[in-house]
Amino acid sequence: MGWALALHGGAGDIPRSLPTERREPRLATLRRCLDLGAAALRAGRPALDVVELVVRELEDCPHFNAGRGSVLTADGTVEMEAAVMEGATLRCGAVSGLSTVVNPVSLARLVMEKTPHIYLAFHGAEAFAREQGVETKDPSHFITEDNIERLRQAKEANRVQIDYTQPMKGQSPQETKAPVDDNSQTGTVGCVAIDAAGNLATATSTGGLVNKMPGRIGDTPLVGAGTYANAICAVSATGRGEEIIRHTVARDVAALMEHCGLPLRDAAARVVAGTPRGTTGLVAVSGAGEVCMAHNTTGMFRACATEDGYAEVGIWTDEADGNGASVSVRL
């Protein structure tokens, strides 16, 4: 067993026609974050520090749906959420409804370490952030031109929009798939890791859905849904939050390994296959140092590395070696 990590930048109906200028900045950020996390693990840093470090970097990138790049609610505001969890202790922390905190993942860790609670939201979470002295910015800092345009399009189509989709006009208000010319896409971020001492950890961060109702909470901060770690594995999920919540995706991977004896890859594939097609992706690592990146969407921005030298960065599963870490389910 050695160290390993995996990270994602969101799953969804990612068209192969995604323009280079939209695709490459995301892949470059994933490579940079992978190198950053791998270097930290090689240096002996704990898994919890590493997943926070990597997700902070992803939150600072406006190309992903977290932190700086968070998508907008129906009111044109940002409501960010994040969670962290440590496998050996089951300690966890989560936040929702943030509008000023630069790195929600770090506030989630402070909830875990500095309070008797697991989850703080909205005004209470913002007040806690001020109390702890974390970096904050005016809400306008998080509102990008791309996301203003995405909200306009979603409102015009009367749609709520998940990661890597674009609304189509004249249809009923529900989540929609993307046309192949979509060029304004963004995704939830997450990271899982096991360190050299065998400690597992996970972190996930998101801005939620485009044109979501104010106050909506997704799977990311819900322990066992979008984020989960124990002594067996660590999981970070991405996709349609309501489905991930219904299917308790992250916890179910661990449960299949614990109670049915399935290896990580089989457990992840079974859980993802049990959700509606086009709704779910995840990255996971096991206590044995195995890595898996599974999805039933067209693609998932993802990357992984292990101590034995394996590395993978990609979007669509057929880019990877069939014996690699990626699993495309029911496509």
Side-chain angles (χ1 to χ4, degrees), residues 25 63 123:
H63 301 296
H123 299 303

Side-chain angles (χ1 to χ4, degrees), residues 92-220:
C92 48
V95 289
S96 284
L98 301 178
S99 60
T100 70
V101 175
V102 172
N103 293 115
V105 69
S106 292
L107 188 64
R109 182 170 180 178
L110 287 170
V111 171
M112 179 182 80
E113 295 180 336
K114 301 293 186 181
T115 81
H117 309 303
I118 290 174
Y119 197 163
L120 294 179
F122 296 91
H123 299 303
E126 290 280 353
F128 178 66
R130 293 190 296 272
E131 176 188 305
Q132 293 297 310
V134 304
E135 184 180 5
T136 60
K137 289 187 179 292
D138 186 86
S140 62
H141 167 78
F142 304 94
I143 300 175
T144 67
E145 289 300 318
D146 275 353
N147 283 329
I148 290 172
E149 176 60 18
R150 294 185 81 211
L151 177 61
R152 185 195 67 77
Q153 293 172 343
K155 282 182 171 292
E156 186 177 272
N158 196 24
R159 288 267 181 170
V160 175
Q161 181 177 316
I162 67 170
D163 288 349
Y164 298 105
T165 66
Q166 183 165 314
M168 295 182 290
K169 298 179 180 179
Q171 297 187 23
S172 60
Q174 55 185 292
E175 291 153 350
T176 182
K177 293 186 177 181
V180 294
D181 62 351
D182 181 14
N183 67 355
S184 60
Q185 304 168 332
T186 181
T188 293
V189 303
C191 181
V192 293
I194 182 169
D195 60 33
N199 299 304
L200 289 154
T202 179
T204 316
S205 184
T206 190
L209 303 176
V210 181
N211 200 29
K212 66 183 180 182
M213 294 174 63
R216 179 262 184 187
I217 293 170
D219 65 288
T220 289

Side-chain angles (χ1 to χ4, degrees), residues 25-325:
R26 293 175 173 86
L27 290 174
T29 299
L30 290 179
R31 292 186 191 100
R32 178 171 57 81
C33 289
L34 186 67
D35 290 343
L36 183 70
L41 287 166
R42 279 194 295 269
R45 293 189 64 178
L48 184 62
D49 287 355
V50 173
V51 297
E52 180 189 7
L53 174 69
V54 169
V55 171
R56 281 177 63 96
E57 289 292 315
L58 292 167
E59 288 174 336
D60 290 340
C61 175
H63 301 296
F64 295 109
N65 178 16
R68 179 74 174 88
S70 293
V71 299
L72 306 181
T73 71
D75 287 348
T77 58
V78 166
E79 292 182 356
M80 298 173 282
E81 50 196 30
V84 298
M85 190 164 185
E86 185 177 58
T89 63
L90 299 183
R91 292 192 307 159
C92 48
V95 289
S96 284
L98 301 178
S99 60
T100 70
V101 175
V102 172
N103 293 115
V105 69
S106 292
L107 188 64
R109 182 170 180 178
L110 287 170
V111 171
M112 179 182 80
E113 295 180 336
K114 301 293 186 181
T115 81
H117 309 303
I118 290 174
Y119 197 163
L120 294 179
F122 296 91
H123 299 303
E126 290 280 353
F128 178 66
R130 293 190 296 272
E131 176 188 305
Q132 293 297 310
V134 304
E135 184 180 5
T136 60
K137 289 187 179 292
D138 186 86
S140 62
H141 167 78
F142 304 94
I143 300 175
T144 67
E145 289 300 318
D146 275 353
N147 283 329
I148 290 172
E149 176 60 18
R150 294 185 81 211
L151 177 61
R152 185 195 67 77
Q153 293 172 343
K155 282 182 171 292
E156 186 177 272
N158 196 24
R159 288 267 181 170
V160 175
Q161 181 177 316
I162 67 170
D163 288 349
Y164 298 105
T165 66
Q166 183 165 314
M168 295 182 290
K169 298 179 180 179
Q171 297 187 23
S172 60
Q174 55 185 292
E175 291 153 350
T176 182
K177 293 186 177 181
V180 294
D181 62 351
D182 181 14
N183 67 355
S184 60
Q185 304 168 332
T186 181
T188 293
V189 303
C191 181
V192 293
I194 182 169
D195 60 33
N199 299 304
L200 289 154
T202 179
T204 316
S205 184
T206 190
L209 303 176
V210 181
N211 200 29
K212 66 183 180 182
M213 294 174 63
R216 179 262 184 187
I217 293 170
D219 65 288
T220 289
L222 300 185
V223 172
T227 307
Y228 188 75
N230 61 10
I232 297 171
C233 68
V235 183
S236 174
T238 177
R240 187 173 299 171
E242 281 68 17
E243 294 298 340
I244 293 170
I245 293 168
R246 289 185 184 106
H247 292 84
T248 56
V249 163
R251 171 56 188 161
D252 273 13
V253 174
L256 285 172
M257 295 181 70
E258 180 178 1
H259 300 297
C260 299
L262 293 186
L264 176 66
R265 184 182 180 94
D266 292 349
R270 182 180 295 187
V271 170
V272 172
T275 65
R277 180 180 177 183
T279 64
T280 306
L282 63 83
V283 295
V285 294
S286 75
E290 304 162 296
V291 178
C292 182
M293 304 185 291
H295 60 93
N296 65 10
T297 56
T298 302
M300 179 170 69
F301 279 93
R302 65 192 187 277
C304 72
T306 63
E307 187 173 357
D308 64 8
Y310 180 80
E312 179 183 327
V313 179
I315 306 171
W316 302 285
T317 300
D318 59 10
E319 298 171 318
D321 186 321
N323 296 317

